Amino acid sequence: MTRGMLQAVCCFEFQFPFSQTRKSRISAELSVSRMFQVAKPDEAACTPFKPDPAFKNGYRTMEMTTRLTWNKEKILQKLLGNVSLSLFYKSSVHKCSIENMLDMCNHQGSTITVIYMPNCIVGAFLFGHYPQMDKKCRNQNYSFYFSLNNTRTTEVFNVEAQIDSEKLAFYSSNEIIFSLIPHESKVFIHQSLMIELGIQYFTSSNYLECEVFRVEGINDDKGYIRRITGVAQYRNGLLAELRGYRPYADLVSEINILLLGPVGSGKSSFFNSVKSVFQGHMTRQAAVGSDVTSITEMYRIYSIKDGKDGKSLPIKLCDTMGLDEKEGVGLCMDDIPHILKGCVPDRYHFNPQQPITCDYPTFITSPSPKDRIHCVAYVLDINCINSLSSKMVAKFKQVQKIILSCGVPQVALLTKVKNYHEVLQEDFSNMNTSMTSQSQIMKIQKMLKIPIYNILMVENYALEWEQDPLKDILILSALRQMLRAADDYLEDLPQRHMKLLECPSLTCVI
């Protein structure tokens, strides 16, 4: 049996007089969706069309299909706090005039206007009702522009909208930076906004389609709007900061961060999460698992690229075999000094019972400062901290003794934080004291003697298909703090530089 879907859109217009001096115009758009089954070559059954008698703003209500893909629609929904989007205006269906657009969009509450260009999708979220003719929008501090690129979104805030007889215009400092001209199907975007949105330069261009969605289920409280839009702003600021990061005084070309922790603590997942944030979509480059034995058996040095085919950032995450409380299982303690010095090559296959030696074919005998580890992150599952065995605590202290003897800075990265929405303060810049006073935090601080500001919390991406801006903030904030610790280390490096480079001892190196 074969199934097919037939969609037909019929648009028609009647015009007839009701009297000698008066004419009335009825415009109707009908959307027909019919599902039929072919049981035999000459037989088909279809559901007959039943017109909706209801009219709205002079137009018959109708079923319309958005051009947004499922993924892009989900991105916009999540951006505004898991809301629903209801399509009620489509330029290819309704009349292409500013009056008609305003008539359809008036008094709909908060809306998202989406404009489909040949090579990109741009738009604006307006908090509150559409502006009235020749009146500016009053909620510009809670509205924003956006662009969609694959599964990545970029937002620019502070939207001031105004409608005149020809266009819907958006202002910044009394200058039009974005305008929509429906009767010409044209859009104008100022060059400065295009740079911020990350789209290809053009002055004005015809768009393929314009759609307006009503945002349903959004909290009308401005504090809520400020927080959800603030999440995106803060996330974008972190991304911009990390994209522009350079190691202190250019002493090294890139920073190496070593991830150490028990099996299943989230070391490989953290790398995957960092890469996902910069790629703009979920990635699973590093194999992850929660088995009792380590999934990671090779030493991996992962580069981080900014977007597909983008440049590599000066940051590398070094993933190791998991620590185990038993001797002869998991990462060999004698491998750690070699890793810290930069002697262990990428893809070295760990042997829990035999450390690497200088006889290994690709052993790096003369590592440069950029090969060395500049920060160590102890990765632990926050849910397992209170149940750490005495043997595992002893293993951590053994590892820490090696690292402290080398002077490498340390942070603790706590993963699998389920209540991650409560981690940060309202402005996202610091952790809530209610989180830092938790028993797990206090135990890690006591065990590893690490300051509270270097105990970081994240919820890694695991099974998700879509990104969460708040998760991104935690992931990016953790990475930034690791880089700050590495920079502090590099700042102190010149005073010890010659001594460290000449030091022959593997237990006292960078």
Side-chain angles (χ1 to χ4, degrees), residues 146-157:
F146 62 85
S147 66
L148 288 171
N149 179 17
N150 295 324
T151 55
R152 182 174 174 177
T153 178
T154 304
E155 305 84 32
V156 178
F157 293 81

Side-chain angles (χ1 to χ4, degrees), residues 41-67:
D42 58 347
E43 182 180 347
C46 62
T47 303
F49 171 72
K50 294 181 180 181
D52 186 346
F55 281 81
K56 181 173 180 60
N57 294 336
Y59 290 85
R60 186 179 298 279
T61 58
M62 58 173 294
E63 179 185 346
M64 293 179 290
T65 302
T66 177
R67 293 178 66 132

Side-chain angles (χ1 to χ4, degrees), residues 17 24 57 62 112-113 125 138 162 199 245 249 251 306 319 329 401 423 426 445 490 505:
S24 178
N57 294 336
M62 58 173 294
I112 285 184
T113 301
F125 164 72
R138 296 180 179 179
Q162 181 176 348
I199 59 179
Y245 170 78
L251 292 178
D306 185 18
D319 195 9
V329 181
K401 185 177 181 180
V423 170
E426 193 71 23
Q445 185 185 29
L490 291 175
S505 173

Side-chain angles (χ1 to χ4, degrees), residues 245-247 250-255 312-315 368-371 374 490:
Y245 170 78
R246 293 293 179 272
D250 291 326
L251 292 178
V252 293
S253 58
E254 53 201 18
I255 295 295
S312 291
L313 300 174
I315 306 165
S368 67
K370 78 176 184 63
D371 296 319
H374 308 110
L490 291 175

Side-chain angles (χ1 to χ4, degrees), residues 64-249:
M64 293 179 290
T65 302
T66 177
R67 293 178 66 132
L68 277 179
T69 63
W70 184 85
N71 280 336
K72 287 184 171 62
E73 185 173 351
K74 286 296 181 183
I75 289 171
L76 291 177
Q77 289 174 327
K78 202 158 228 180
L79 185 63
L80 295 168
N82 292 318
V83 298
S84 297
L85 301 180
S86 179
L87 177 63
F88 65 88
Y89 173 83
K90 194 175 179 75
S91 60
S92 63
V93 173
H94 302 98
K95 291 182 181 178
C96 293
S97 71
I98 194 65
E99 293 85 359
N100 177 250
M101 185 176 181
L102 178 59
D103 194 31
M104 293 291 295
C105 299
N106 198 18
H107 301 297
Q108 293 283 355
S110 298
T111 57
I112 285 184
T113 301
V114 181
I115 302 164
Y116 301 86
M117 308 295 294
N119 299 315
C120 63
I121 299 175
V122 296
F125 164 72
L126 292 181
F127 177 63
H129 297 304
Y130 245 59
Q132 298 295 310
M133 188 71 76
D134 296 322
K135 292 184 179 179
K136 290 185 177 180
C137 173
R138 296 180 179 179
N139 293 308
Q140 60 265 29
N141 292 331
Y142 310 103
S143 304
F144 56 86
Y145 311 99
F146 62 85
S147 66
L148 288 171
N149 179 17
N150 295 324
T151 55
R152 182 174 174 177
T153 178
T154 304
E155 305 84 32
V156 178
F157 293 81
N158 198 9
V159 172
E160 188 175 10
Q162 181 176 348
I163 292 180
D164 61 28
S165 59
E166 290 189 346
K167 62 183 178 297
L168 170 63
F170 299 88
Y171 290 80
S172 177
S173 302
N174 295 320
E175 182 181 9
I176 295 178
I177 62 170
F178 186 105
S179 64
L180 186 70
I181 308 171
H183 71 280
E184 295 181 1
S185 296
K186 282 191 173 182
V187 63
F188 162 81
I189 304 178
H190 194 278
Q191 184 177 4
S192 61
L193 181 58
M194 281 189 282
I195 293 173
E196 289 193 80
L197 290 176
I199 59 179
Q200 188 176 358
Y201 175 72
F202 60 87
T203 51
S204 64
S205 177
N206 289 87
Y207 57 80
L208 306 175
E209 182 75 87
C210 174
E211 296 177 345
V212 184
F213 298 82
R214 182 172 51 254
V215 181
E216 299 176 345
I218 193 168
N219 192 324
D220 289 334
D221 178 57
K222 289 186 177 179
Y224 169 79
I225 297 296
R226 186 183 296 111
R227 181 165 176 82
I228 62 173
T229 55
V231 167
Q233 281 183 294
Y234 197 82
R235 172 189 175 275
N236 292 344
L238 282 172
L239 271 173
E241 181 180 345
L242 291 172
R243 283 168 175 157
Y245 170 78
R246 293 293 179 272
Y248 175 80

Side-chain angles (χ1 to χ4, degrees), residues 369-400:
K370 78 176 184 63
D371 296 319
R372 301 166 186 254
I373 296 300
H374 308 110
C375 177
V376 173
Y378 300 111
V379 185
L380 297 107
D381 180 346
I382 193 171
N383 305 292
C384 299
I385 290 174
N386 287 332
S387 60
L388 283 175
S389 67
S390 58
K391 289 184 178 180
M392 181 57 78
V393 172
K395 179 62 69 79
F396 265 105
K397 290 186 176 180
Q398 182 183 357
V399 170
Q400 189 179 38

Side-chain angles (χ1 to χ4, degrees), residues 276-425:
S276 295
V277 176
F278 283 97
Q279 290 287 309
H281 61 84
M282 295 298 106
T283 64
R284 301 286 189 272
Q285 181 178 348
V288 298
S290 56
D291 200 354
V292 292
T293 57
S294 183
I295 294 295
T296 302
E297 295 184 345
M298 288 193 301
Y299 181 58
R300 289 306 322 272
I301 303 175
Y302 291 114
S303 297
I304 301 170
K305 287 189 175 181
D306 185 18
K308 186 179 180 181
D309 302 325
K311 67 174 183 177
S312 291
L313 300 174
I315 306 165
K316 289 187 175 180
L317 296 179
C318 306
D319 195 9
T320 61
M321 178 179 256
L323 297 173
D324 197 286
E325 62 183 30
K326 299 176 183 177
E327 292 300 324
V329 181
L331 182 65
C332 179
M333 291 296 97
D334 291 336
D335 274 329
I336 295 177
H338 296 284
I339 294 172
L340 294 173
K341 187 178 180 182
C343 298
V344 180
D346 186 26
R347 299 183 183 274
Y348 167 71
H349 199 285
F350 288 111
N351 183 343
Q353 299 177 344
Q354 177 65 48
I356 192 172
T357 67
C358 58
D359 295 327
Y360 187 77
T362 55
F363 184 87
I364 303 172
T365 55
S366 301
S368 67
K370 78 176 184 63
D371 296 319
R372 301 166 186 254
I373 296 300
H374 308 110
C375 177
V376 173
Y378 300 111
V379 185
L380 297 107
D381 180 346
I382 193 171
N383 305 292
C384 299
I385 290 174
N386 287 332
S387 60
L388 283 175
S389 67
S390 58
K391 289 184 178 180
M392 181 57 78
V393 172
K395 179 62 69 79
F396 265 105
K397 290 186 176 180
Q398 182 183 357
V399 170
Q400 189 179 38
K401 185 177 181 180
I402 297 171
I403 294 169
L404 286 174
S405 68
C406 301
V408 180
Q410 306 160 87
V411 302
L413 180 67
L414 308 187
T415 64
K416 304 182 184 181
V417 182
K418 299 306 177 185
N419 56 338
Y420 65 93
H421 291 91
E422 303 171 12
V423 170
L424 297 174
Q425 294 178 359

Side-chain angles (χ1 to χ4, degrees), residues 471-488:
K471 280 189 180 183
D472 290 355
I473 286 178
L474 291 172
I475 292 164
L476 294 172
S477 296
L479 181 62
R480 180 179 64 176
Q481 194 63 20
M482 294 174 191
L483 295 174
R484 286 176 174 175
D487 278 344
D488 289 342

